[in-house]
Amino acid sequence: MIVLFTDFGLTGPYTGQVAAVLHRDAPDVPVISLFADAPSERPKPSAYLLAAYGAWFPAGTVLLCVVDPGVGSERRAAVAEAEGRIYVGPDNGLFDIVLRRAGDARLWEIIWHPGSLSPSFHGRDLFAPVAARLARGESLGALAQPVHDEQASRGWPDDLAEIVYVDHYGNAMTGLRGVLLPANAHLAVRGRRLARAATFSAVRPGEAFWYINSNGLAEIAVNGGRADQALGLAIGDRVIVES
Amino acid sequence: MIVLFTDFGLTGPYTGQVAAVLHRDAPDVPVISLFADAPSERPKPSAYLLAAYGAWFPAGTVLLCVVDPGVGSERRAAVAEAEGRIYVGPDNGLFDIVLRRAGDARLWEIIWHPGSLSPSFHGRDLFAPVAARLARGESLGALAQPVHDEQASRGWPDDLAEIVYVDHYGNAMTGLRGVLLPANAHLAVRGRRLARAATFSAVRPGEAFWYINSNGLAEIAVNGGRADQALGLAIGDRVIVES
Amino acid sequence: MIVLFTDFGLTGPYTGQVAAVLHRDAPDVPVISLFADAPSERPKPSAYLLAAYGAWFPAGTVLLCVVDPGVGSERRAAVAEAEGRIYVGPDNGLFDIVLRRAGDARLWEIIWHPGSLSPSFHGRDLFAPVAARLARGESLGALAQPVHDEQASRGWPDDLAEIVYVDHYGNAMTGLRGVLLPANAHLAVRGRRLARAATFSAVRPGEAFWYINSNGLAEIAVNGGRADQALGLAIGDRVIVES
């Protein structure tokens, strides 16, 4: 299976062209769009979102990951191997958290070159063909070469105490893994201090709370309402863990 | 075929994870998203929309239906059988209108339990696996048990004289079946009184009217414009039938 | 492959019902959504967008194209053949630019009639069944008859000096083919005069520019920002080419 993690949107041409390339190059491999609205052109919050949601897929999954504000510049094109999954995309930090959390991570630089490469759409012309080739079983060694500087740190923390995503319902995911927080921790954000609840129906209608979401992230929500609007939350907002 | 009727949105992780589960558990069954923007967390208008649009699919279709504000509470997990179609989702009224309109309806309570169940995402962990198993031919009797209280009414009318959905063009669907309205009926909404037309091109540009849409619902529209903006319409607005 | 170019949106029922018809009538043919947000009910800008993006697909592709404000009126239902691709949709100008640019273009009028035809949803009831039949190999001559008035002009120019699409990132595509513009041309729009750059990273953060996008259109963008908001751009805005 090929899983898409991008900031392309679904309605315009980008996801469709990528899907067409994947079908052309790996016609028998199913394609699933996981996120088409990853934090737009922001690799840092995207990295924490990808680490949480990519880990849900079984070993053997190829994840095509494109949040790529530096497309056309000198940033490397990369493949990350972690816990049996393969991540293809720009080497701009997007894979840093996935690599750090895996016991057996390896980073590769793509050496395969397409016949033609648009300076603004490597997702279609470079990353999708490489993802398709890996998904149909081609050797990673034929497409990329190992790199050994994966310790070069961008200084990002293990968990990110910020809002990293606001979902369709207005719930605000943080970059914090819920199981690493004290059970009685409160989250402070935008001047509000929120207690933990097991799930929505455990609090009164209209009440804000935080809980551990279905992929393990600490998430801020309002029962029957939109947390983004009720609390004024957006991607990048700082969150403080209080006991 | 498995048809999705949800309020999950398409861009974020929810539809993608559900699609991944369906592929894992029923890899040969095609999946179509019918609505990913059913009235958010509102089973009542969703029930009338589902009754109108679900009936368009052939017998044998499995509809995975998740508009589930009570996820994690004690509401039952259900399967509804109606006119050869199978509906899987929460027992919160979402299937009430489908069941009422069918000659041969049966309601079941899901007894199958997944290995792990997120308190906030039964769509992925419970309903999708059950829908996949039914779509690949497993017996309903192995997954669910009949319940016999389907007459227990929520007091909802046969047709709902409210806006139940605003589409991509700004057209506002009601919960009224068009063929049950007098041919010369007018619809009054937000202080406006609208006559019926056969279709858009039968009225002047900019004129508001109602018509019977392609799935049988009375729908309010403006030729060449957006009815939601022109008339100030939103889901839940009352509609009055006048002759 | 069947490629969708529509203004239907993806979340509501329209794309899903079309996909269900395509699966019913051509179950083995993959379906890709290229645009679900083509300029809403505006065939003219859509025609330039379709010409640029349709040409990216290989010969043999069937493109189901529905931007159809006149549905239910007397406009013809058409099939256009151009450079080995087949375009199915309303004869309202949507195919004019495709036909004009092709060396071997032919226009056909659909004579096939569905069993039932909604006056408001020919995409589902007429165009999708025809597209499916063509994609599975049925003869065009059995479904349509040649028409010989394709020279009847709507007076549209070869290239359209207007904004024809605003993408997910806020970049504004024009209907101008970039290779036909002088290399040192400037584009003037909304009182701003923009120089050309190779790609985003060639200009300073926050700077507006134009470039040739990955499908050949001259496109207005801002490095690290949204051109639509920064410059106040919308579909239909005039663009002036200055040297």
Side-chain angles (χ1 to χ4, degrees):
Chain A
M1 181 183 297
I2 297 172
V3 170
L4 307 183
F5 179 99
T6 78
D7 64 359
F8 289 167
L10 292 177
T11 48
Y14 308 117
T15 294
Q17 290 195 313
V18 162
V21 168
L22 295 174
H23 174 74
R24 180 193 71 199
D25 291 352
D28 297 325
V29 179
V31 176
I32 299 270
S33 176
L34 175 62
F35 282 93
D37 63 343
S40 187
E41 307 201 355
R42 297 173 75 166
K44 188 175 178 183
S46 295
Y48 294 86
L49 199 61
L50 176 60
Y53 279 83
W56 182 79
F57 289 91
T61 301
V62 174
L63 294 104
L64 173 54
C65 307
V66 191
V67 176
D68 194 12
V71 63
S73 70
E74 293 304 308
R75 63 103 189 85
R76 291 188 299 208
V79 176
E81 283 185 293
E83 297 180 338
R85 287 176 289 270
I86 297 176
Y87 300 77
V88 180
D91 183 27
N92 59 13
L94 189 55
F95 302 148
D96 279 20
I97 308 306
V98 165
L99 290 166
R100 193 183 305 174
R101 291 184 187 170
D104 60 350
R106 288 213 296 174
L107 185 66
W108 303 68
E109 178 173 5
I110 294 173
I111 55 171
W112 180 85
H113 285 288
S116 88
L117 178 66
S118 158
S120 59
F121 200 2
H122 290 195
R124 179 190 70 187
D125 295 340
L126 179 62
F127 299 128
V130 167
R133 281 160 176 73
L134 292 170
R136 75 186 188 206
E138 284 194 25
S139 156
L140 181 48
L143 301 165
Q145 61 189 11
V147 292
H148 300 291
D149 61 346
E150 58 262 51
Q151 303 309 321
S153 178
R154 288 172 180 86
W156 295 352
D158 287 348
D159 288 74
L160 187 65
E162 296 180 7
I163 304 301
V164 299
Y165 183 72
V166 176
D167 80 3
H168 181 66
Y169 303 99
N171 303 329
M173 300 181 191
T174 73
L176 301 166
R177 286 168 288 181
V179 294
L180 301 186
L181 300 178
N184 63 347
H186 287 68
L187 296 186
V189 61
R190 292 255 163 207
R192 293 284 299 272
R193 189 169 183 274
L194 307 174
R196 178 176 168 183
T199 189
F200 290 75
S201 53
V203 304
R204 294 186 307 275
E207 186 172 338
F209 65 102
W210 77 269
Y211 78 115
I212 302 180
N213 79 11
S214 58
N215 280 73
L217 293 177
E219 177 173 305
I220 295 166
V222 168
N223 184 18
R226 293 190 63 94
D228 61 341
Q229 294 175 1
L231 305 177
L233 302 181
I235 293 172
D237 284 352
R238 289 279 310 281
V239 175
I240 299 166
V241 180
E242 300 177 344
S243 56
Chain B
M1 180 182 298
I2 298 172
V3 169
L4 307 184
F5 180 99
T6 77
D7 63 358
F8 289 167
L10 292 177
T11 48
Y14 308 116
T15 294
Q17 290 196 314
V18 161
V21 167
L22 294 174
H23 174 74
R24 179 192 71 199
D25 290 353
D28 298 324
V29 179
V31 176
I32 300 269
S33 175
L34 176 63
F35 282 94
D37 63 343
S40 188
E41 307 201 354
R42 296 172 75 167
K44 188 175 178 184
S46 295
Y48 293 86
L49 199 60
L50 176 60
Y53 280 83
W56 181 79
F57 289 90
T61 301
V62 174
L63 294 105
L64 173 55
C65 307
V66 191
V67 175
D68 195 13
V71 62
S73 70
E74 293 304 307
R75 63 101 189 88
R76 290 189 300 206
V79 176
E81 283 185 294
E83 297 179 340
R85 288 178 288 271
I86 298 175
Y87 300 76
V88 180
D91 183 27
N92 59 13
L94 189 55
F95 302 148
D96 279 20
I97 308 306
V98 165
L99 290 166
R100 195 185 304 174
R101 292 184 187 169
D104 59 350
R106 288 212 296 173
L107 185 66
W108 303 68
E109 177 172 7
I110 294 172
I111 55 172
W112 180 86
H113 285 288
S116 87
L117 178 66
S118 158
S120 59
F121 200 2
H122 290 194
R124 179 189 72 187
D125 296 339
L126 179 62
F127 299 128
V130 167
R133 281 160 176 74
L134 293 170
R136 75 186 188 205
E138 284 194 25
S139 156
L140 181 48
L143 301 164
Q145 62 190 9
V147 292
H148 300 291
D149 59 349
E150 58 261 53
Q151 303 309 321
S153 177
R154 288 173 180 85
W156 295 353
D158 286 348
D159 288 74
L160 186 65
E162 296 181 8
I163 305 301
V164 299
Y165 183 71
V166 176
D167 80 2
H168 180 65
Y169 303 98
N171 303 329
M173 300 181 191
T174 72
L176 300 166
R177 285 168 289 181
V179 294
L180 301 186
L181 300 179
N184 63 348
H186 287 67
L187 296 187
V189 61
R190 291 251 163 210
R192 293 284 299 272
R193 188 168 183 275
L194 306 174
R196 178 176 168 183
T199 189
F200 290 75
S201 53
V203 303
R204 294 186 307 277
E207 187 172 336
F209 64 103
W210 76 269
Y211 78 116
I212 302 180
N213 80 10
S214 57
N215 280 75
L217 292 177
E219 177 173 305
I220 294 167
V222 168
N223 184 17
R226 294 190 62 95
D228 60 341
Q229 294 175 1
L231 306 177
L233 303 181
I235 293 171
D237 284 352
R238 288 281 309 281
V239 175
I240 299 167
V241 181
E242 300 177 345
S243 56
Chain C
M1 182 183 296
I2 298 172
V3 170
L4 307 184
F5 179 99
T6 77
D7 64 358
F8 289 167
L10 291 177
T11 48
Y14 308 117
T15 294
Q17 290 195 313
V18 162
V21 168
L22 295 174
H23 174 73
R24 180 193 69 198
D25 290 352
D28 297 324
V29 179
V31 176
I32 299 270
S33 176
L34 175 64
F35 282 93
D37 64 343
S40 187
E41 306 200 357
R42 297 174 73 167
K44 188 176 178 184
S46 295
Y48 294 86
L49 199 62
L50 176 60
Y53 279 83
W56 181 79
F57 289 90
T61 301
V62 175
L63 293 103
L64 174 53
C65 307
V66 191
V67 175
D68 195 12
V71 63
S73 69
E74 293 305 308
R75 63 101 188 89
R76 290 188 300 207
V79 176
E81 283 185 292
E83 298 180 339
R85 289 178 287 271
I86 298 175
Y87 300 76
V88 180
D91 182 27
N92 59 13
L94 189 54
F95 302 148
D96 279 20
I97 308 306
V98 165
L99 290 166
R100 193 185 305 175
R101 291 185 187 168
D104 59 351
R106 288 212 296 173
L107 186 65
W108 302 69
E109 178 173 5
I110 295 173
I111 55 172
W112 181 85
H113 285 288
S116 88
L117 178 67
S118 158
S120 59
F121 200 2
H122 290 194
R124 178 189 71 187
D125 295 339
L126 179 62
F127 299 128
V130 167
R133 280 160 176 74
L134 293 169
R136 75 186 188 204
E138 284 194 24
S139 156
L140 181 48
L143 302 164
Q145 62 189 10
V147 292
H148 301 289
D149 60 348
E150 58 261 52
Q151 303 309 321
S153 178
R154 288 173 180 85
W156 295 353
D158 286 348
D159 287 75
L160 187 65
E162 296 181 7
I163 305 301
V164 299
Y165 184 71
V166 176
D167 81 2
H168 181 66
Y169 303 99
N171 303 329
M173 300 180 191
T174 73
L176 301 165
R177 285 167 289 180
V179 294
L180 301 185
L181 300 179
N184 63 347
H186 287 68
L187 295 187
V189 60
R190 292 252 163 209
R192 292 285 297 273
R193 190 170 183 272
L194 306 174
R196 178 176 168 182
T199 189
F200 290 75
S201 54
V203 304
R204 293 187 307 277
E207 187 173 337
F209 65 103
W210 76 270
Y211 78 115
I212 303 180
N213 78 12
S214 58
N215 280 74
L217 293 177
E219 177 174 306
I220 295 167
V222 168
N223 184 16
R226 293 190 64 94
D228 60 341
Q229 294 175 1
L231 306 176
L233 303 180
I235 293 172
D237 284 352
R238 289 280 310 280
V239 176
I240 300 167
V241 181
E242 300 177 345
S243 56

